[in-house]
């Protein structure tokens, strides 16, 4: 059974960074793409970027270029999403999701990131 | 970026009725279109991938069709647990994008 378990809620100051983890179990970590999707309050989902661990290749939405870093640690089957230069508009629920070729089959439970002074 | 436009924004139906949800892409996404269901406080749940393939465990009352720019999600007979928000999502053209959602509500 595939499970994705994310780290807990974060409260951050504007201008700081946040790093969210996504621990996976079940399936083959290396070959599945892991994507990060966020959802602001009352809004639809927004795809941020993804990684394929076996290649180490990443793909980011242009909107987040320069602020977003997605990494994967095969030894712990954990993916990470780090977003820097946080602003109030980054307040959202952040999800990791996994699937072949960018499909979003299995999802984490979500991590609430609140950016507030 | 590829904009996905969903219609209607809200669909009011009674249990047992047929639901038809539309998703139109601003440019071709081939068949790389998925449908998700989301309930309050939960992560989106994959229903349909690659336009017409039901995900594991999804009931047969859910079906998807279309290719290129026009797609449809059909629920043949709406069950009480189906009232939720539905999103389409494309993974053909970067950046991948979602529609703004259709809320299926009880009439």
């Amino acid at each position: 059974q595939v499970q994705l378990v994310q780290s807990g809620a974060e409260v951050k100051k504007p201008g700081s960074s946040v790093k969210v983890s996504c621990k996976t179990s079940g399936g083959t970590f290396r070959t599945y793409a892991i994507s990060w999707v966020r959802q602001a309050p009352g809004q639809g989902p927004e795809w941020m970027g993804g990684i394929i661990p076996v290649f180490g290749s990443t793909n980011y939405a242009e909107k987040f270029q320069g602020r977003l870093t997605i990494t994967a640690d095969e030894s712990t089957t954990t993916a990470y999403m780090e977003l820097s230069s946080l602003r109030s508009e980054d307040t959202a629920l952040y999800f990791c999701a996994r699937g072949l070729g960018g499909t979003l089959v299995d999802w984490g439970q979500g991590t609430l990131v609140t950016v507030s002074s | 970026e590829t904009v996905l436009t969903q219609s209607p924004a809200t669909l009011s139906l009674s249990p047992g009725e047929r639901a038809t949800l539309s998703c139109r892409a601003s440019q071709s996404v081939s068949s790389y279109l998925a449908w998700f269901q989301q309930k309050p406080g939960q992560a989106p749940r994959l229903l349909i991938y690659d336009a017409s393939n039901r995900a594991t465990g999804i009931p047969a009352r859910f079906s998807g069709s279309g290719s290129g720019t026009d797609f449809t999600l059909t629920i043949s007979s709406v069950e009480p647990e189906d009232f939720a928000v539905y999103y389409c999502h494309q993974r053909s053209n970067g950046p991948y994008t979602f529609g703004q959602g259709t809320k299926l509500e009880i009439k």
Side-chain angles (χ1 to χ4, degrees):
Chain A
Q1 180 184 354
V2 176
Q3 274 198 309
L4 285 72
V5 179
Q6 298 181 222
S7 50
E10 303 263 13
V11 179
K12 294 292 182 179
K13 300 285 189 189
S16 66
S17 298
V18 67
K19 190 170 186 176
V20 179
S21 67
C22 173
K23 167 70 175 172
T24 73
S25 58
T28 305
F29 180 77
R30 303 186 77 227
T31 54
Y32 282 78
I34 295 177
S35 299
W36 288 89
V37 173
R38 75 178 186 180
Q39 191 166 25
Q43 303 298 312
E46 178 179 32
W47 183 83
M48 301 176 68
I51 187 168
I52 302 176
V54 67
F55 300 124
S57 57
T58 53
N59 184 17
Y60 301 136
E62 188 172 345
K63 172 178 180 178
F64 300 101
Q65 288 282 359
R67 287 209 298 146
L68 177 63
T69 304
I70 296 173
T71 56
D73 183 342
E74 290 186 51
S75 66
T76 58
T77 63
T78 301
Y80 299 90
M81 183 283 299
E82 184 170 20
L83 189 63
S84 62
S85 302
L86 290 170
R87 36 219 189 216
S88 59
E89 309 90 89
D90 294 318
T91 294
L93 194 54
Y94 288 75
F95 294 100
C96 60
R98 195 183 83 159
L100 290 173
T103 55
L104 307 175
V105 180
D106 303 299
W107 291 66
Q109 82 278 18
T111 297
L112 180 62
V113 175
T114 302
V115 183
S116 175
S117 55
Chain B
E1 80 178 32
T2 302
V3 177
L4 299 179
T5 303
Q6 293 186 239
S7 61
T10 304
L11 185 57
S12 300
L13 295 173
S14 300
E17 292 191 288
R18 183 183 186 88
T20 303
L21 288 68
S22 174
C23 177
R24 177 163 289 177
S26 61
Q27 60 185 291
S28 176
V29 298
S30 186
S31 293
Y32 296 115
L33 193 286
W35 291 94
F36 292 86
Q37 176 193 72
Q38 189 175 32
K39 296 180 179 179
Q42 297 183 14
R45 174 195 182 197
L46 179 66
L47 301 174
I48 302 289
Y49 67 95
D50 295 349
S52 61
N53 298 286
R54 267 191 307 277
T56 302
I58 301 303
R61 64 180 181 273
F62 291 93
S63 63
S65 64
S67 67
T69 60
D70 288 291
F71 300 86
T72 301
L73 173 69
T74 302
I75 309 173
S76 59
S77 178
V78 176
E79 296 286 337
E81 62 266 29
D82 298 337
F83 292 99
V85 180
Y86 292 82
Y87 295 100
C88 57
H89 164 68
Q90 67 84 17
R91 62 180 182 93
S92 176
N93 310 317
Y96 302 160
T97 49
F98 288 85
Q100 83 282 11
T102 290
K103 182 179 181 181
L104 177 59
E105 65 176 24
I106 301 175
K107 186 175 182 179

